[in-house]
């Protein structure tokens, strides 16, 4: 079945360490996204990518980095510069223009990052 | 920039009853999409219903329907015959139309409404 796989589901990090969250999709979607979810804050956009080798900052990109070397993959690195990284992270993807349902985001199951 | 406001942080409803969740948004765009997503305790985000702004007819999906008031920039969700499985966080979200240029791929969310269905 097609879908989005995020790993790991739970991750613990010591302060000062970088950590990378994986996001893989087999939906053949062009666009991919990373959102952060905090209690009472809803979902906030970190980065998004419309095509391979291209990505744009969202509303809260500081302290994060991404890459989009393959259509299927959009890993997110939480760097030591991120002041408050403990949160739930959601990856999503969307079909390109002209495709049926192109305006609908499909989400992964999320990754919970805790900084110790 | 677009903003989405959900004014009800928490709501509850008796099983089999009807409940309406509110959502308002602010935009200068004329063409856009609106969505309701559900996030149950598993935290998996699930699309409930979507509305295209150029369509005057309100969208419906089984027990879920919306009241889309474009002039008032209001997009409420009505859940009929509430079931225990409807217990979840509900997020209203906005996306600019693809013809709107920059930012048209972005989905902007409200802060959510926590709905509890009581047996």
């Amino acid at each position: 079945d097609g879908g989005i796989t995020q790993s790991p589901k739970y991750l613990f990090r010591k302060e000062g360490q970088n950590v990378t969250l994986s996001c893989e999709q087999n939906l053949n979607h062009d666009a991919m996204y990373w959102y952060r979810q905090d209690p009472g804050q809803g979902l906030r956009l970190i980065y998004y990518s419309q095509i391979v080798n291209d990505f744009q900052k969202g509303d809260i990109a500081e302290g994060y980095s991404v890459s989009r070397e393959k259509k299927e993959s959009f890993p997110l690195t939480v760097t030591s510069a991120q002041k408050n990284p403990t949160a739930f992270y959601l990856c999503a993807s969307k079909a390109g223009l002209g495709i049926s349902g192109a305006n609908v985001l499909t989400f992964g199951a999320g990754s919970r990052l805790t900084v110790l | 920039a677009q903003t989405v406001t959900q004014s009800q942080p928490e709501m509850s409803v008796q099983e089999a009853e009807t409940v309406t969740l509110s959502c308002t948004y602010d935009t200068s765009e004329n063409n856009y999409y609106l969505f309701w997503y559900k996030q149950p305790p598993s935290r998996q985000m699930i699309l409930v219903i979507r509305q295209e702004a150029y369509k005057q007819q309100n969208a419906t999906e089984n027990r879920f329907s919306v009241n889309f008031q474009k002039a008032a920039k209001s997009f409420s969700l009505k859940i009929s015959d509430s079931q225990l499985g409807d217990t979840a966080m509900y997020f209203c979200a906005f996306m600019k139309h693809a013809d709107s240029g920059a930012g048209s791929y972005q989905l902007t969310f409200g802060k959510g409404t926590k709905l509890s269905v009581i047996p």
Side-chain angles (χ1 to χ4, degrees):
Chain A
D1 289 337
I4 300 176
T5 301
Q6 290 187 240
S7 62
K9 190 173 179 64
Y10 300 97
L11 186 61
F12 298 89
R13 187 194 94 175
K14 293 182 180 179
E15 281 194 39
Q17 289 182 336
N18 292 355
V19 62
T20 297
L21 307 180
S22 171
C23 178
E24 302 278 334
Q25 55 100 358
N26 61 2
L27 299 166
N28 198 32
H29 283 175
D30 290 317
M32 296 188 73
Y33 306 77
W34 275 105
Y35 283 90
R36 170 178 172 146
Q37 185 176 19
D38 297 282
Q41 292 287 335
L43 277 71
R44 293 180 291 170
L45 182 64
I46 305 172
Y47 269 98
Y48 67 102
S49 168
Q50 298 181 32
I51 56 173
V52 175
N53 293 323
D54 185 57
F55 48 83
Q56 288 79 40
K57 293 181 179 180
D59 300 320
I60 55 166
E62 185 175 354
Y64 299 97
S65 65
V66 293
S67 62
R68 187 83 187 279
E69 298 177 359
K70 298 186 301 181
K71 187 175 185 178
E72 303 80 15
S73 179
F74 192 43
L76 173 73
T77 297
V78 184
T79 75
S80 57
Q82 169 51 235
K83 299 303 181 187
N84 185 21
T86 294
F88 187 65
Y89 292 86
L90 283 159
C91 179
S93 69
K94 186 174 80 71
L97 298 179
I99 305 298
S100 176
N103 57 349
V104 175
L105 267 65
T106 300
F107 285 84
S111 293
R112 173 70 183 179
L113 172 64
T114 302
V115 174
L116 303 175
Chain B
Q2 283 66 231
T3 59
V4 178
T5 302
Q6 294 179 249
S7 59
Q8 305 150 315
E10 293 191 40
M11 294 187 73
S12 62
V13 62
Q14 291 290 138
E15 195 174 4
E17 297 295 309
T18 296
V19 64
T20 298
L21 280 58
S22 301
C23 173
T24 59
Y25 57 94
D26 186 26
T27 184
S28 59
E29 302 291 332
N30 188 50
N31 286 333
Y32 48 87
Y33 306 98
L34 294 163
F35 306 84
W36 280 97
Y37 277 87
K38 166 186 177 180
Q39 188 181 41
S42 68
R43 308 200 76 170
Q44 175 72 55
M45 293 287 285
I46 302 166
L47 178 68
V48 175
I49 199 166
R50 58 177 162 167
Q51 175 81 39
E52 294 158 347
Y54 68 87
K55 292 185 176 179
Q56 293 186 346
Q57 186 174 5
N58 289 324
T60 62
E61 288 287 343
N62 301 315
R63 298 183 294 107
F64 299 88
S65 62
V66 298
N67 183 4
F68 173 48
Q69 301 289 329
K70 191 173 184 179
K73 296 180 182 177
S74 172
F75 184 60
S76 61
L77 174 69
K78 186 172 80 170
I79 305 174
S80 303
D81 185 25
S82 296
Q83 300 176 1
L84 297 178
D86 295 334
T87 293
M89 284 289 291
Y90 286 82
F91 293 97
C92 179
F94 172 101
M95 180 186 287
K96 290 164 62 173
H97 191 274
D99 293 340
S100 299
S104 61
Y105 276 72
Q106 297 183 36
L107 191 63
T108 300
F109 286 87
K111 293 186 177 183
T113 296
K114 183 179 180 180
L115 177 68
S116 298
V117 179
I118 303 167

Short mmCIF file of all heavy atoms in Angstrom, two decimals, chain A residues 31 33 35 37 40-43 45 48 50 88 90 94 97 101 103-105 107-109, chain B residues 33 35 37 39 42-45 47 50 52 91 95 98 103 105-111:
data_model
loop_
_atom_site.label_atom_id
_atom_site.label_comp_id
_atom_site.label_asym_id
_atom_site.label_seq_id
_atom_site.Cartn_x
_atom_site.Cartn_y
_atom_site.Cartn_z
N ALA A 31 5.47 17.07 -4.00
CA ALA A 31 5.73 17.99 -2.88
C ALA A 31 5.80 17.23 -1.56
O ALA A 31 5.07 16.29 -1.33
CB ALA A 31 4.62 19.04 -2.81
N TYR A 33 6.56 17.95 2.90
CA TYR A 33 6.49 18.97 3.94
C TYR A 33 6.95 18.41 5.29
O TYR A 33 6.81 17.21 5.55
CB TYR A 33 5.03 19.42 4.14
CG TYR A 33 4.33 19.90 2.91
CD1 TYR A 33 3.84 19.00 1.96
CD2 TYR A 33 4.13 21.26 2.69
CE1 TYR A 33 3.18 19.44 0.83
CE2 TYR A 33 3.46 21.71 1.57
CZ TYR A 33 3.00 20.80 0.64
OH TYR A 33 2.34 21.25 -0.47
N TYR A 35 6.12 19.48 9.34
CA TYR A 35 5.38 20.31 10.30
C TYR A 35 5.83 19.93 11.70
O TYR A 35 6.17 18.79 12.00
CB TYR A 35 3.88 20.07 10.20
CG TYR A 35 3.22 20.74 9.02
CD1 TYR A 35 3.10 20.08 7.80
CD2 TYR A 35 2.70 22.02 9.13
CE1 TYR A 35 2.49 20.70 6.71
CE2 TYR A 35 2.08 22.64 8.06
CZ TYR A 35 1.98 21.98 6.86
OH TYR A 35 1.38 22.59 5.79
N GLN A 37 4.40 20.03 15.70
CA GLN A 37 3.18 20.17 16.49
C GLN A 37 3.54 20.25 17.96
O GLN A 37 4.21 19.38 18.51
CB GLN A 37 2.24 18.98 16.25
CG GLN A 37 0.90 19.12 16.95
CD GLN A 37 -0.06 18.00 16.63
OE1 GLN A 37 0.32 16.93 16.17
NE2 GLN A 37 -1.34 18.24 16.87
N GLY A 40 -1.44 22.94 21.99
CA GLY A 40 -2.08 24.25 21.91
C GLY A 40 -1.60 25.14 20.78
O GLY A 40 -2.05 26.28 20.65
N GLN A 41 -0.70 24.62 19.93
CA GLN A 41 -0.13 25.44 18.85
C GLN A 41 -0.58 25.01 17.47
O GLN A 41 -0.26 25.66 16.50
CB GLN A 41 1.41 25.38 18.91
CG GLN A 41 2.02 26.05 20.11
CD GLN A 41 1.94 27.55 20.03
OE1 GLN A 41 1.88 28.13 18.95
NE2 GLN A 41 1.93 28.19 21.17
N GLY A 42 -1.26 23.93 17.37
CA GLY A 42 -1.59 23.43 16.03
C GLY A 42 -0.34 22.93 15.33
O GLY A 42 0.65 22.59 15.98
N LEU A 43 -0.37 22.93 14.01
CA LEU A 43 0.77 22.50 13.21
C LEU A 43 1.42 23.72 12.56
O LEU A 43 0.73 24.54 11.95
CB LEU A 43 0.33 21.53 12.10
CG LEU A 43 0.14 20.06 12.47
CD1 LEU A 43 -1.10 19.88 13.35
CD2 LEU A 43 0.02 19.21 11.22
N LEU A 45 4.53 25.04 9.92
CA LEU A 45 5.35 24.57 8.81
C LEU A 45 6.82 24.91 9.02
O LEU A 45 7.17 26.07 9.26
CB LEU A 45 4.85 25.20 7.51
CG LEU A 45 5.55 24.79 6.22
CD1 LEU A 45 5.34 23.31 5.94
CD2 LEU A 45 5.04 25.63 5.06
N TYR A 48 9.29 23.04 3.24
CA TYR A 48 8.58 22.27 2.23
C TYR A 48 9.39 22.25 0.95
O TYR A 48 10.24 23.12 0.72
CB TYR A 48 7.17 22.80 2.00
CG TYR A 48 7.06 24.16 1.37
CD1 TYR A 48 6.74 24.31 0.02
CD2 TYR A 48 7.22 25.31 2.14
CE1 TYR A 48 6.61 25.57 -0.54
CE2 TYR A 48 7.10 26.57 1.60
CZ TYR A 48 6.79 26.70 0.25
OH TYR A 48 6.67 27.94 -0.31
N GLN A 50 8.85 21.47 -3.29
CA GLN A 50 7.92 21.23 -4.39
C GLN A 50 8.46 20.24 -5.40
O GLN A 50 7.71 19.53 -6.06
CB GLN A 50 7.60 22.56 -5.08
CG GLN A 50 6.91 23.56 -4.16
CD GLN A 50 6.57 24.86 -4.88
OE1 GLN A 50 6.30 24.86 -6.07
NE2 GLN A 50 6.56 25.96 -4.17
N PHE A 88 6.42 17.05 18.51
CA PHE A 88 5.97 15.98 17.62
C PHE A 88 6.13 16.50 16.19
O PHE A 88 5.67 17.60 15.88
CB PHE A 88 4.50 15.67 17.92
CG PHE A 88 3.95 14.48 17.20
CD1 PHE A 88 4.45 13.21 17.45
CD2 PHE A 88 2.93 14.62 16.29
CE1 PHE A 88 3.93 12.10 16.79
CE2 PHE A 88 2.40 13.51 15.61
CZ PHE A 88 2.91 12.26 15.87
N LEU A 90 5.65 16.00 12.06
CA LEU A 90 4.84 15.33 11.05
C LEU A 90 5.37 15.64 9.66
O LEU A 90 5.63 16.80 9.32
CB LEU A 90 3.39 15.79 11.14
CG LEU A 90 2.58 15.19 12.28
CD1 LEU A 90 1.38 16.05 12.59
CD2 LEU A 90 2.14 13.77 11.91
N LYS A 94 2.24 15.68 -1.14
CA LYS A 94 1.11 16.11 -1.96
C LYS A 94 1.45 15.88 -3.43
O LYS A 94 2.58 16.11 -3.86
CB LYS A 94 0.82 17.59 -1.73
CG LYS A 94 -0.41 18.12 -2.42
CD LYS A 94 -0.69 19.56 -2.02
CE LYS A 94 0.18 20.55 -2.78
NZ LYS A 94 -0.21 20.66 -4.20
N LEU A 97 0.58 19.39 -9.53
CA LEU A 97 -0.57 20.02 -10.19
C LEU A 97 -1.05 19.15 -11.34
O LEU A 97 -0.26 18.48 -12.00
CB LEU A 97 -0.17 21.40 -10.71
CG LEU A 97 0.26 22.41 -9.66
CD1 LEU A 97 0.64 23.72 -10.33
CD2 LEU A 97 -0.86 22.64 -8.66
N GLY A 101 -6.81 15.18 -6.82
CA GLY A 101 -6.51 15.27 -5.40
C GLY A 101 -5.23 16.02 -5.11
O GLY A 101 -4.66 15.88 -4.03
N ASN A 103 -4.58 18.89 -4.25
CA ASN A 103 -4.57 19.87 -3.18
C ASN A 103 -4.69 19.23 -1.81
O ASN A 103 -4.88 19.92 -0.82
CB ASN A 103 -5.70 20.88 -3.39
CG ASN A 103 -7.05 20.20 -3.49
OD1 ASN A 103 -7.14 18.98 -3.60
ND2 ASN A 103 -8.11 20.97 -3.43
N VAL A 104 -4.56 17.92 -1.70
CA VAL A 104 -4.72 17.23 -0.42
C VAL A 104 -3.37 16.73 0.07
O VAL A 104 -2.65 16.05 -0.65
CB VAL A 104 -5.69 16.04 -0.56
CG1 VAL A 104 -5.76 15.26 0.75
CG2 VAL A 104 -7.07 16.54 -0.96
N LEU A 105 -3.03 17.06 1.32
CA LEU A 105 -1.82 16.54 1.95
C LEU A 105 -2.12 15.20 2.62
O LEU A 105 -3.12 15.05 3.32
CB LEU A 105 -1.29 17.52 3.00
CG LEU A 105 -0.23 18.52 2.53
CD1 LEU A 105 -0.81 19.48 1.52
CD2 LEU A 105 0.37 19.26 3.71
N PHE A 107 -0.43 12.55 5.34
CA PHE A 107 0.52 12.64 6.45
C PHE A 107 1.08 11.28 6.85
O PHE A 107 0.42 10.25 6.73
CB PHE A 107 -0.17 13.26 7.67
CG PHE A 107 -0.38 14.73 7.56
CD1 PHE A 107 -1.49 15.24 6.89
CD2 PHE A 107 0.53 15.63 8.10
CE1 PHE A 107 -1.69 16.61 6.77
CE2 PHE A 107 0.34 17.00 7.98
CZ PHE A 107 -0.77 17.48 7.31
N GLY A 108 2.31 11.32 7.38
CA GLY A 108 2.89 10.16 8.03
C GLY A 108 2.38 10.06 9.46
O GLY A 108 1.60 10.90 9.92
N ALA A 109 2.85 9.05 10.18
CA ALA A 109 2.37 8.80 11.55
C ALA A 109 3.10 9.64 12.58
O ALA A 109 2.70 9.66 13.75
CB ALA A 109 2.51 7.32 11.88
N TYR B 33 -8.62 26.62 -1.01
CA TYR B 33 -9.22 25.38 -0.52
C TYR B 33 -9.27 25.43 1.00
O TYR B 33 -8.39 25.99 1.65
CB TYR B 33 -8.40 24.16 -0.95
CG TYR B 33 -8.14 24.06 -2.43
CD1 TYR B 33 -6.94 24.50 -2.98
CD2 TYR B 33 -9.09 23.51 -3.30
CE1 TYR B 33 -6.68 24.40 -4.33
CE2 TYR B 33 -8.84 23.41 -4.65
CZ TYR B 33 -7.64 23.86 -5.17
OH TYR B 33 -7.39 23.76 -6.51
N PHE B 35 -10.03 22.85 4.49
CA PHE B 35 -10.01 21.45 4.90
C PHE B 35 -10.34 21.33 6.38
O PHE B 35 -10.08 22.24 7.17
CB PHE B 35 -8.62 20.83 4.70
CG PHE B 35 -8.05 20.97 3.32
CD1 PHE B 35 -7.40 22.12 2.94
CD2 PHE B 35 -8.16 19.93 2.41
CE1 PHE B 35 -6.86 22.25 1.66
CE2 PHE B 35 -7.63 20.05 1.13
CZ PHE B 35 -6.98 21.22 0.77
N TYR B 37 -9.18 18.40 9.12
CA TYR B 37 -8.43 17.19 9.40
C TYR B 37 -8.76 16.74 10.82
O TYR B 37 -8.98 17.56 11.72
CB TYR B 37 -6.92 17.44 9.29
CG TYR B 37 -6.36 17.37 7.89
CD1 TYR B 37 -6.35 18.49 7.07
CD2 TYR B 37 -5.81 16.19 7.39
CE1 TYR B 37 -5.81 18.44 5.79
CE2 TYR B 37 -5.28 16.13 6.12
CZ TYR B 37 -5.27 17.26 5.32
OH TYR B 37 -4.75 17.20 4.05
N GLN B 39 -7.36 14.35 14.07
CA GLN B 39 -6.19 13.69 14.65
C GLN B 39 -6.63 12.92 15.89
O GLN B 39 -6.74 13.50 16.97
CB GLN B 39 -5.09 14.69 14.99
CG GLN B 39 -3.78 14.03 15.42
CD GLN B 39 -2.70 15.03 15.77
OE1 GLN B 39 -2.96 16.04 16.42
NE2 GLN B 39 -1.46 14.76 15.35
N SER B 42 -4.15 8.31 18.22
CA SER B 42 -3.00 7.72 17.54
C SER B 42 -2.09 8.78 16.91
O SER B 42 -0.95 8.49 16.54
CB SER B 42 -3.47 6.78 16.43
OG SER B 42 -4.10 7.53 15.39
N ARG B 43 -2.62 10.00 16.78
CA ARG B 43 -1.90 11.17 16.23
C ARG B 43 -1.73 11.12 14.72
O ARG B 43 -1.04 11.96 14.15
CB ARG B 43 -0.56 11.41 16.93
CG ARG B 43 -0.67 11.48 18.43
CD ARG B 43 0.49 12.18 19.08
NE ARG B 43 0.42 13.62 18.92
CZ ARG B 43 1.22 14.48 19.55
NH1 ARG B 43 2.15 14.03 20.36
NH2 ARG B 43 1.11 15.78 19.35
N GLN B 44 -2.39 10.17 14.07
CA GLN B 44 -2.38 10.13 12.60
C GLN B 44 -3.34 11.18 12.07
O GLN B 44 -4.51 11.18 12.44
CB GLN B 44 -2.79 8.74 12.12
CG GLN B 44 -2.93 8.62 10.61
CD GLN B 44 -1.58 8.64 9.91
OE1 GLN B 44 -0.70 7.86 10.21
NE2 GLN B 44 -1.43 9.56 8.95
N MET B 45 -2.88 12.05 11.21
CA MET B 45 -3.74 13.08 10.63
C MET B 45 -4.56 12.48 9.50
O MET B 45 -4.02 11.88 8.57
CB MET B 45 -2.89 14.23 10.08
CG MET B 45 -2.17 15.02 11.14
SD MET B 45 -3.27 16.07 12.08
CE MET B 45 -3.59 17.37 10.91
N LEU B 47 -7.75 13.23 6.70
CA LEU B 47 -8.61 14.20 6.04
C LEU B 47 -10.07 13.83 6.28
O LEU B 47 -10.49 12.70 6.04
CB LEU B 47 -8.33 14.24 4.55
CG LEU B 47 -9.22 15.19 3.73
CD1 LEU B 47 -8.92 16.63 4.09
CD2 LEU B 47 -9.04 14.94 2.24
N ARG B 50 -13.14 18.44 2.50
CA ARG B 50 -12.51 19.58 1.88
C ARG B 50 -13.53 20.37 1.07
O ARG B 50 -14.54 19.83 0.60
CB ARG B 50 -11.36 19.15 0.97
CG ARG B 50 -11.78 18.21 -0.15
CD ARG B 50 -10.62 17.88 -1.05
NE ARG B 50 -10.90 16.69 -1.84
CZ ARG B 50 -10.18 16.31 -2.89
NH1 ARG B 50 -9.14 17.04 -3.27
NH2 ARG B 50 -10.47 15.22 -3.54
N GLU B 52 -13.77 23.57 -1.96
CA GLU B 52 -13.14 24.50 -2.90
C GLU B 52 -13.91 25.80 -2.87
O GLU B 52 -15.13 25.80 -2.97
CB GLU B 52 -13.12 23.88 -4.30
CG GLU B 52 -12.24 22.66 -4.36
CD GLU B 52 -12.57 21.71 -5.51
OE1 GLU B 52 -13.65 21.88 -6.11
OE2 GLU B 52 -11.77 20.83 -5.80
N PHE B 91 -8.68 19.87 13.18
CA PHE B 91 -7.95 21.04 12.69
C PHE B 91 -8.59 21.55 11.41
O PHE B 91 -8.82 20.80 10.47
CB PHE B 91 -6.48 20.70 12.41
CG PHE B 91 -5.69 20.37 13.63
CD1 PHE B 91 -5.48 19.06 14.00
CD2 PHE B 91 -5.14 21.38 14.40
CE1 PHE B 91 -4.74 18.75 15.13
CE2 PHE B 91 -4.39 21.08 15.52
CZ PHE B 91 -4.19 19.77 15.89
N MET B 95 -5.53 26.44 2.18
CA MET B 95 -4.49 26.37 1.16
C MET B 95 -4.86 27.29 0.01
O MET B 95 -5.99 27.23 -0.49
CB MET B 95 -4.30 24.95 0.63
CG MET B 95 -3.23 24.83 -0.45
SD MET B 95 -3.13 23.19 -1.18
CE MET B 95 -2.39 22.27 0.16
N ALA B 98 -3.56 26.92 -6.64
CA ALA B 98 -2.29 26.80 -7.36
C ALA B 98 -2.00 28.01 -8.22
O ALA B 98 -0.83 28.34 -8.45
CB ALA B 98 -2.31 25.54 -8.21
N GLY B 103 3.51 30.42 -2.25
CA GLY B 103 2.77 29.96 -1.08
C GLY B 103 1.58 29.08 -1.41
O GLY B 103 0.87 28.63 -0.51
N TYR B 105 1.46 26.12 -2.30
CA TYR B 105 1.59 24.75 -1.86
C TYR B 105 1.46 24.62 -0.35
O TYR B 105 1.47 23.53 0.17
CB TYR B 105 2.96 24.20 -2.26
CG TYR B 105 3.04 23.67 -3.67
CD1 TYR B 105 3.02 24.52 -4.76
CD2 TYR B 105 3.10 22.31 -3.91
CE1 TYR B 105 3.10 24.03 -6.04
CE2 TYR B 105 3.18 21.80 -5.19
CZ TYR B 105 3.17 22.67 -6.25
OH TYR B 105 3.25 22.18 -7.53
N GLN B 106 1.37 25.71 0.37
CA GLN B 106 1.39 25.65 1.83
C GLN B 106 0.01 25.44 2.41
O GLN B 106 -0.96 26.03 1.95
CB GLN B 106 1.99 26.94 2.40
CG GLN B 106 3.43 27.18 2.00
CD GLN B 106 3.97 28.42 2.65
OE1 GLN B 106 3.63 28.74 3.78
NE2 GLN B 106 4.81 29.14 1.93
N LEU B 107 -0.05 24.63 3.44
CA LEU B 107 -1.28 24.40 4.20
C LEU B 107 -1.12 25.05 5.56
O LEU B 107 -0.20 24.72 6.30
CB LEU B 107 -1.53 22.89 4.33
CG LEU B 107 -2.88 22.45 4.86
CD1 LEU B 107 -3.98 22.87 3.91
CD2 LEU B 107 -2.89 20.94 5.05
N THR B 108 -2.01 26.00 5.87
CA THR B 108 -1.97 26.73 7.14
C THR B 108 -3.07 26.19 8.05
O THR B 108 -4.23 26.14 7.66
CB THR B 108 -2.17 28.24 6.90
OG1 THR B 108 -1.13 28.72 6.04
CG2 THR B 108 -2.12 28.99 8.22
N PHE B 109 -2.69 25.84 9.27
CA PHE B 109 -3.61 25.20 10.21
C PHE B 109 -4.06 26.15 11.31
O PHE B 109 -3.32 27.05 11.72
CB PHE B 109 -2.94 24.01 10.89
CG PHE B 109 -2.77 22.81 10.00
CD1 PHE B 109 -1.66 22.68 9.19
CD2 PHE B 109 -3.73 21.79 9.98
CE1 PHE B 109 -1.50 21.58 8.37
CE2 PHE B 109 -3.57 20.68 9.17
CZ PHE B 109 -2.46 20.58 8.36
N GLY B 110 -5.26 25.92 11.82
CA GLY B 110 -5.69 26.51 13.07
C GLY B 110 -5.09 25.73 14.23
O GLY B 110 -4.41 24.72 14.03
N LYS B 111 -5.37 26.18 15.46
CA LYS B 111 -4.76 25.54 16.62
C LYS B 111 -5.52 24.30 17.09
O LYS B 111 -5.04 23.60 17.99
CB LYS B 111 -4.63 26.55 17.76
CG LYS B 111 -3.63 27.65 17.45
CD LYS B 111 -3.39 28.56 18.65
CE LYS B 111 -2.32 29.60 18.29
NZ LYS B 111 -2.00 30.48 19.45
#
